Every structure is written in structure tokens, then in C-alpha cells.
């Protein structure tokens, strides 16, 4: 499916956003990229660098409602509470399922290391077994607990693993009235593409707040895979934050809608929340 | 069938009814459960949930399928069970870091073949035993504990499950709580594990996490009695009497000291250089009684007296887990200091000998295929001081395999599980499909097939193959 960049009011009202955009630091009005002429395209690497350099708080807590909608419109709903904290360069994320009852108390923990050559560590608590399972982080392209986001998407939030792609800025564009840079990302190797499940990604990155408002994914065979839109972007504690993410999976016709609430940055979070014991105890 | 003799209402019955009434009141009187985003209201409101599950097990044994009227003492009907279970749960956040959790189970079986007689009361302490409501229904307090954080320490006080180990379906260290074997090992551990009254503390110590507990609850395995569908008959587990000699089995002698016979243990955990590591220690009574045997001579001839007793042991062990690319390596090892085994020598004064036992399991999980997990585990145990005159080999080796794949964004799950004893060449194969029709309604269908030597652990149930149709509703 080709991305729609029509700027009519109706369409632009619902269009365009990034990967798992959650948050983004605001840019100052004197940003040199914004000030430059549209034809002076920044390099893809520099755009991605700005996306990844966004301040997104040392800690983050938020509630997340997931809606999973199949091709016949049947809807499933999950409610979670998530926590994220930076330990230096290392990012730790914990997600606790609150409902529905049949998956309540399931919990997911990941340690995302800054070193590109170090695999992340991931754990999943399964209440039916009452055990924390160590799970491989290498199959990053697997879909996360029934959603249309992959484990990699969930882990990176709105950021992009720069080491996995080559980038090229295609053009400047406008999404919902916002100036964006359209950046193409191509996996650096077939092996990485297979791991990620993506053969090509195109991002419509807001040139002011450095969030991708729309992201198109193709699979490793070059077929359209899914479209992610980041919506309801608002500033919280000085950090631009997307409160709604929508994914349309073109091959399965499955949809996922993430709605974030109670988003709070830089609250004090106990380090012990990011441990196996905490997964077992739950919230 | 269970006894119909009226008996006085014991304290535990009253206690169970009081708890049931509290649950019922809470269900009716409590406001709606708070939403996930309603964090301010959460500490003040009890959250009540409940689920209803059912499963219908039909025998796959061809002879019984042809003749539905066949109905021998061992449950030789086409129908093995039809169970309905109601499971209310309560969570009450009493304040920051303090939570009360409770759960009960009301379970009824239309055929009464799994537990055709009353639970003898020998395996269960009086504060724990389920309340029987007629022959086919029981009400059980599953869990009731207060969890609270005091400084750095997390306390869990009350009836609870303490689960150790990294293995699936094979137990080396997951022996803190006893188990109900009414369906052998076919029932989910979550359901068959018997919660115990315990005091547990968890505290971080630098990079380590320490979990320590004390268990005054003297409840042990519930083993099916004679005539039950899954009565254990394998001579490897139940000693055979000498031919031609009558046998008297005495009631099991349970430890009765509240303090002196309690269990205690601890687990030290650490994440180190990519490895999840634990060191475990447990001082406890083994949950299976030891059948001490004495030979008596009387005017009518010799007679064997079997006196089941529970014996203490130390268990020392550890677990590990790490990932390597697509693979997860995990395992656990445990050494039991006092394992009692039967010997065949009739001259032996009690017919049992003591030995140490080393057991380990190592497993590999594979995540390399989309939406698919496979797993292989190798289990081995052996007696370290095997006495003379053992009726069987001093060790066992088992292999397990699991293949699970999800479809339709995890609405549909298909699973194959295989357990095989390499020494006896018997085993169990299971296949199951689960479908989440909605968020609240799950449907399941599966088959369980035993095979091999009828004296084997699995082969003894060769005629208990079954088709299971079930589901659950969790509003």
C-alpha cells in the first residue's frame, strides 16, 4: 500500500507518524535544519541521529491500552502498565499486563544494551507456569504478544536501530500540516532484514519534533507489510509524546491500536522493579 | 464411594464457609474493578474476578469406546471425567506496597472417577483439606496471602505457591509445594500444585536477591487411592508384596510438630554476565511417604505390615539460564541427601534403604522460526549410594520435546508435547489446540496418549488415553 501524503484537511487529520513513537524532545525554533531551505535535504543518517538523540526522560511510566482487531472486526483488548528507566546507556523496560483475566499478570522485561554487538536480555513471566522464562532476543522480528508490533518495535519505542540500516533522505513532504523528511531505511544485510522481518522501511519524520509521524514497512520479498501512524502527539514535561499508535498490517488485515495514558516522565522508579522478582510479584 | 456417615462439622468447614461468604459478599458488594488507569482509586477498592472452566475427558481406549456400558472399578467407561470449576479471586490493594490476595475453587465432577473415595486426610493438614460437598464436589481455599513491603523486604504471609526451577513438566527443584496427582501429571501444575501456609521474605542484597521461607504447613502429595482412574500401580512407585504373603497397609504416619516438623528453605538469585543463576536449599519432608515394611510371623503364617512414613531430607541445588542467538539454554540440578528406596530383601528389617540422589535437567528452547517455540529437555536422576537388592535400576533418564506455534495474532495456539522414558521405553504424547474466541472465552481440545511397558511410570496408564474438550470463561 502506498502511503497517502495528500494534505487535504480530512486525510491529514488522521495521517502520519513514526515507529513506536512515544516521546520526542521538542526542538528549538532556531533549529538549523528547519531553517534551511526544503530543497537542502539533510542526510538520512543525520535525521535518524536527531530522532535517536531526542530526550525521552530518564524514566517513564505509562498505562497502555492495546486493541487488537482482526480482519472481521473482532476486537480484543489488553491493558498494561509500563515502566522504563535508563541505567547509563542501558535501557530497561518492564511491561505488566493488567487485563484481560486470561493473560493478567503476564509480564515482560528487557535490558537493551547500548553496545550494538551485545544481544539484549529478555524475560517473560507466564502466570500459568508461575515461572520467569528467559527468552531469546535475537528473533527481533517476531510479533509481540499478538500485536502488530515486533519485539524490536516495542523495545526501540520511537527510536531506530541505526546500526541495522542504511539511510537515504528521499524528499521533504508535509504530513497533517507538519513538515517532514521522508527517509528510506534499508537493512544493511539480508541477515539483518530476516531478523527484523523488514526489507525496507520509509519514515516520515517530523522535521521539528523528530518523531516519525508515519512509517511504512515492506517485508523481505518487497511486499507491503504494515503502516504505523503516530497520533495525538502532545508535549508532556517538555517531551513530545505520542498518545496513540495505529498499525495496519496489510498482509493479515489485522490492526493494532495503542492508546497511552497516565504518561509521566522522570518519576523515581525503584531499580528493583526491573528484576525477575518484580515480574513474579507483579504490580 | 465416599462415606455417607454423618460426622460433626469440623472447624475447617466453618472456616471454608466463612471465606466463601466473604468472597460472595465481596463479589456482590464491591464496586466495579478499577481500570488500569485508575491508579488513585486502586488502593481502596477490592478487585474481584472469577472464571469458570470445564473439561470433558473421553476415553480413547478402543474396547471402552465400543462398549460404553463397560464400567469396571478402575473407571472403564467411555467417560473419564466431566469437571466444572468456579474460581473466584480477590485482590485488594490495602495501601502502597500492601496487597491482599485470595482465590478459591469450587469443583464438581459428574463421574467421580478421579477421586472415587474420600481424601483420607493423611496427606493434608486439617487447615488445608478441601471441603467436600457430597461425593462429587469440593470447595478449596487455594490461596490467601498478604503481600507487603517493609523497607527493602517483601513479605508474603499466608497460603501460597512457591515455585522453583527452570524445567517444564520435569521436576527437580519445583518440590516446595506438594502436588495433587488425581490426573497423574495431566493437570496443569498451576491447578495441581497444592498451596501451603508459609511465611516468605524476599530481599535484595547488592546484586543478589534472597528469598527465604518457613512452612509450618504439613501437607503432602495427594495420591489417588485404590480404584481411582489414575491410581498409581507401577511397581517402580508402589512396592509389590511378596507373592503368597498377605499384606496389611497401616495408615500413613504424618509428622505433627508445628515447629519441629516445619519446612524451610532459601533461594539466592543473581544475574551475572548474561546468566540467570540461582542457588537453592530446602530442608523438608519428602512429599511421598516411604512404605516401611516389616514381616510378622503368626500362627497362620507370615504377614507383611506396610507402614507409610514421611521422611526428612535436605535438597541442595541450583539453576541456570542464558541465551545464545536464537537459543535459550536452561537447566537445574538438585541433590537430595535422604532418598528412601525399597529393597527386595525380606530379611531387611524395614524393607527400605537410604541413599543420596542426584537429579538434573537441561533444556534448550529455540525461537528461530516465526511465532514458533520448540524445546528439548533431558532429565536424569540416579541414586548416589544405591543399595543392594533394588528391584529396579538406580537411575532414570527421560527426554521431553515441545513444539508450540501460534496463529492469528496468538488467538490460536497449537502445541505438541512428548515425554519419553529412555530406560523403560514408555512415555506420554500430548497434542492440544487452544482458541481464544474472545478475550473472555477460550476453547480447547486435546488428546493425551500413554504408551509403553505397563510397569512403567507412563505405561501404567496405557489404557487411560483420552480426548479432552474444554474451555474457560473469564469475564
Amino acid at each position: 500500500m502506498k502511503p497517502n501524503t495528500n494534505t487535504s484537511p480530512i486525510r491529514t487529520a488522521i495521517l502520519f507518524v513514526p515507529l513506536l513513537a512515544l516521546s520526542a524532545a521538542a526542538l528549538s525554533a532556531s533549529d538549523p535544519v528547519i531553517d534551511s531551505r526544503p530543497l537542502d535535504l539533510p542526510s538520512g543518517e543525520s535525521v535518524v541521529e536527531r530522532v535517536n538523540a531526542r530526550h525521552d526522560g530518564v524514566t517513564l511510566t505509562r498505562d497502555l491500552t492495546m486493541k487488537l482487531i482482526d480482519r472481521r472486526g473482532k476486537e480484543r483488548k489488553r491493558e498494561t502498565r509500563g515502566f522504563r528507566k535508563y541505567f547509563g546507556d542501558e535501557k530497561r523496560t518492564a511491561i505488566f499486563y493488567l487485563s484481560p483475566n486470561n493473560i493478567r499478570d503476564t509480564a515482560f522485561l528487557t535490558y537493551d544494551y547500548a553496545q550494538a554487538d551485545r544481544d539484549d536480555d529478555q524475560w517473560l513471566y507466564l502466570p500459568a507456569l508461575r515461572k520467569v522464562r528467559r527468552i531469546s532476543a535475537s528473533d527481533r522480528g517476531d510479533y509481540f504478544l499478538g500485536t502488530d508490533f515486533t519485539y524490536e518495535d516495542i523495545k526501540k519505542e520511537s527510536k531506530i536501530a541505526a546500526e541495522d540500516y542504511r539511510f537515504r533522505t528521499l524528499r521533504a513532504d508535509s504530513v497533517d500540516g507538519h513538515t517532514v523528511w521522508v527517509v528510506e531505511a534499508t537493512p544493511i544485510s539480508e541477515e539483518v532484514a530476516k531478523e527484523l522481518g523488514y526489507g525496507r522501511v520509509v519514515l516520515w519524520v517530523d522535521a521539528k519534533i523528530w518523531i516519525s509521524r508515519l512509517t511504512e514497512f515492506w517485508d523481505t520479498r518487497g511486499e507491503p507489510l504494515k503502516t504505523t501512524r503516530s497520533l495525538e502527539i502532545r508535549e508532556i514535561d517538555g517531551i513530545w509524546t505520542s498518545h496513540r499508535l495505529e498499525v495496519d498490517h496489510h498482509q493479515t488485515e489485522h490492526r493494532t491500536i495503542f492508546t497511552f495514558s497516565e504518561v509521566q516522565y522522570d518519576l523515581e522508579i525503584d531499580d528493583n522493579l526491573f528484576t525477575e522478582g518484580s515480574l513474579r510479584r507483579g504490580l | 464411594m465416599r462415606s455417607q456417615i454423618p460426622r460433626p462439622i469440623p472447624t475447617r468447614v466453618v472456616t471454608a464457609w466463612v471465606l466463601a461468604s466473604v468472597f460472595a459478599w465481596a463479589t456482590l458488594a464491591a464496586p466495579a474493578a478499577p481500570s488500569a488507569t485508575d491508579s488513585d482509586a486502586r488502593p481502596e477498592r477490592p478487585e474481584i474476578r472469577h472464571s469458570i472452566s470445564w473439561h470433558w475427558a473421553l476415553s480413547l481406549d478402543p474396547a471402552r469406546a465400543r462398549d460404553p456400558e463397560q464400567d469396571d472399578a478402575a473407571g472403564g467407561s467411555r467417560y473419564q471425567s466431566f469437571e466444572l470449576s468456579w474460581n473466584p479471586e480477590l485482590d485488594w490493594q490495602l495501601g502502597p506496597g500492601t496487597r491482599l490476595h485470595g482465590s478459591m475453587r469450587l469443583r464438581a465432577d459428574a463421574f467421580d472417577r478421579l477421586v472415587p473415595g474420600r481424601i483420607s486426610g493423611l496427606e493434608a493438614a486439617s487447615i488445608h483439606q478441601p471441603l467436600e460437598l457430597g461425593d462429587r464436589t469440593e470447595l478449596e481455599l487455594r490461596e490467601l496471602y498478604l503481600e507487603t513491603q517493609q523497607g527493602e523486604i517483601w513479605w508474603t504471609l499466608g497460603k501460597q505457591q512457591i515455585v522453583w526451577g527452570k524445567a517444564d513438566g520435569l521436576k527437580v527443584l519445583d518440590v516446595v509445594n506438594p502436588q495433587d496427582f488425581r490426573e497423574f501429571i495431566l493437570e496443569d501444575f498451576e491447578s495441581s500444585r497444592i498451596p501451603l501456609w508459609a511465611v516468605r521474605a524476599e530481599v535484595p542484597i547488592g546484586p543478589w536477591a534472597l528469598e527465604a521461607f518457613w512452612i509450618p504447613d504439613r501437607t503432602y502429595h495427594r495420591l489417588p487411592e485404590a480404584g481411582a482412574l489414575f491410581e498409581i500401580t507401577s511397581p517402580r512407585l508402589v512396592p509389590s508384596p511378596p507373592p503368597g504373603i498377605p499384606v496389611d497397609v497401616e495408615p500413613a504416619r504424618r509428622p505433627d510438630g508445628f515447629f519441629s516438623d516445619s519446612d524451610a528453605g532459601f533461594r539466592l538469585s543473581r544475574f551475572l554476565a548474561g546468566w540467570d543463576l540461582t542457588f537453592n536449599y530446602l530442608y523438608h519432608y519428602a512429599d511421598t511417604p516411604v512404605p516401611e515394611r516389616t514381616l510378622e510371623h503368626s500362627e497362620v503364617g507370615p504377614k507383611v505390615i506396610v507402614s507409610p512414613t514421611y521422611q526428612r531430607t535436605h535438597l541442595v541445588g541450583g539453576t541456570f539460564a542464558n541465551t545464545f542467538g536464537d537459543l535459550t539454554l536452561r537447566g537445574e540440578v538438585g541433590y537430595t541427601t535422604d532418598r528412601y528406596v525399597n529393597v527386595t530383601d525380606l530379611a531387611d528389617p524395614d524393607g527400605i534403604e537410604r541413599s543420596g540422589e542426584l537429579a538434573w535437567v537441561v533444556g534448550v528452547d529455540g525461537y528461530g522460526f516465526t511465532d514458533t517455540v520448540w524445546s528439548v529437555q533431558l532429565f536424569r536422576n540416579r541414586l548416589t549410594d544405591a543399595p543392594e537388592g533394588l528391584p529396579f535400576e538406580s537411575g532414570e533418564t527421560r527426554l521431553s520435546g515441545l513444539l508450540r506455534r501460534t496463529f492469528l495474532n496468538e488467538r490460536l495456539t497449537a502445541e505438541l508435547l512428548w515425554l519419553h522414558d529412555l530406560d523403560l521405553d514408555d512415555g506420554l504424547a500430548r497434542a492440544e489446540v487452544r482458541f481464544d474466541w474472545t478475550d473472555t472465552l477460550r476453547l480447547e481440545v486435546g488428546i493425551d496418549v500413554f504408551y509403553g511397558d505397563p510397569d512403567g511410570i507412563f505405561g501404567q496408564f496405557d489404557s487411560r488415553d483420552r480426548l479432552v474438550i474444554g474451555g474457560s470463561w473469564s469475564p
Side-chain angles (χ1 to χ4, degrees), chain B residues 200-228:
Chain B
R200 178 162 57 132
E202 296 172 85
V203 57
I205 305 173
W208 297 86
L210 172 67
E211 173 194 66
F213 53 82
W214 171 61
I215 305 175
D217 190 340
R218 300 172 309 283
T219 299
Y220 307 110
H221 286 332
R222 286 186 200 137
L223 302 172
E225 297 189 352

Side-chain angles (χ1 to χ4, degrees), chain B residues 10 62-63 140 152 216 244 264 298-299 339 357 369 373 388 470:
Chain B
E140 183 179 14
E152 288 282 287
S298 63
E299 294 174 354
R339 171 91 154 86
E357 183 184 57
F369 302 99
V373 178
E388 296 290 328

Side-chain angles (χ1 to χ4, degrees), chain A residues 63-65 68 70 72 74-81 92 98-105 111 113 118-123 126-139 141-148 151 194 252 254 256 261-262 270 272 276-278 280-283, chain B residues 35-39 42 47 49-50 91 93 99 143 145 147 149 152 154 161 163-168 174 189-190 193 202 204 211 267 269 271 273-276 321-328 330 332 365 367-372 375 408-411 436-440 442 474-475:
Chain A
D63 289 345
L64 165 60
T65 300
L68 315 179
D70 72 10
R72 289 178 299 176
K74 190 176 279 284
E75 185 178 303
R76 291 180 293 160
K77 186 176 169 188
R78 279 100 178 82
E79 291 180 305
T80 72
R81 179 161 296 159
R92 299 183 179 181
L98 306 174
S99 73
N101 280 345
N102 60 7
I103 57 170
R104 180 190 170 92
D105 295 333
Y111 289 2
Y113 302 109
R118 183 175 178 186
D119 274 349
D120 301 333
D121 290 307
Q122 292 184 161
W123 297 263
L126 299 168
L129 299 178
R130 298 211 181 210
K131 286 184 179 178
V132 176
R133 301 303 301 267
R134 185 71 174 271
I135 57 175
S136 166
S138 68
D139 203 12
D142 257 9
Y143 287 100
F144 179 77
L145 299 177
T147 71
D148 293 298
Y151 278 87
K194 192 178 164 193
T252 63
H254 190 272
T256 297
S261 59
E262 305 292 325
D270 188 344
N272 288 313
E276 266 196 63
S278 177
R280 275 194 299 271
R281 279 193 300 273
L283 293 177
Chain B
S35 74
T37 58
D38 197 4
S39 55
R42 178 176 294 272
E47 186 176 0
R49 303 179 302 277
H50 69 105
D91 270 307
Q93 202 77 32
R99 177 174 73 116
E143 291 181 304
Y145 59 78
E147 191 176 68
Q149 185 178 20
E152 288 282 287
W154 279 94
Q161 296 190 35
V163 181
W164 280 358
K166 299 287 185 190
D168 284 339
D174 186 12
F189 283 164
E190 167 67 10
R193 199 180 285 117
E202 296 172 85
E211 173 194 66
R267 170 173 64 179
S269 311
F271 178 62
W275 290 88
D276 296 320
N322 201 351
T323 57
F324 301 92
D326 288 340
L327 304 177
T328 297
R330 57 186 168 81
E332 57 187 269
D365 305 324
Y367 295 87
F369 302 99
T370 302
D371 298 327
T372 305
S375 171
L408 303 173
N409 291 77
E410 298 195 0
R411 285 186 72 194
D436 289 336
W437 187 269
T438 65
D439 276 339
T440 57
R442 170 171 290 179
S474 312

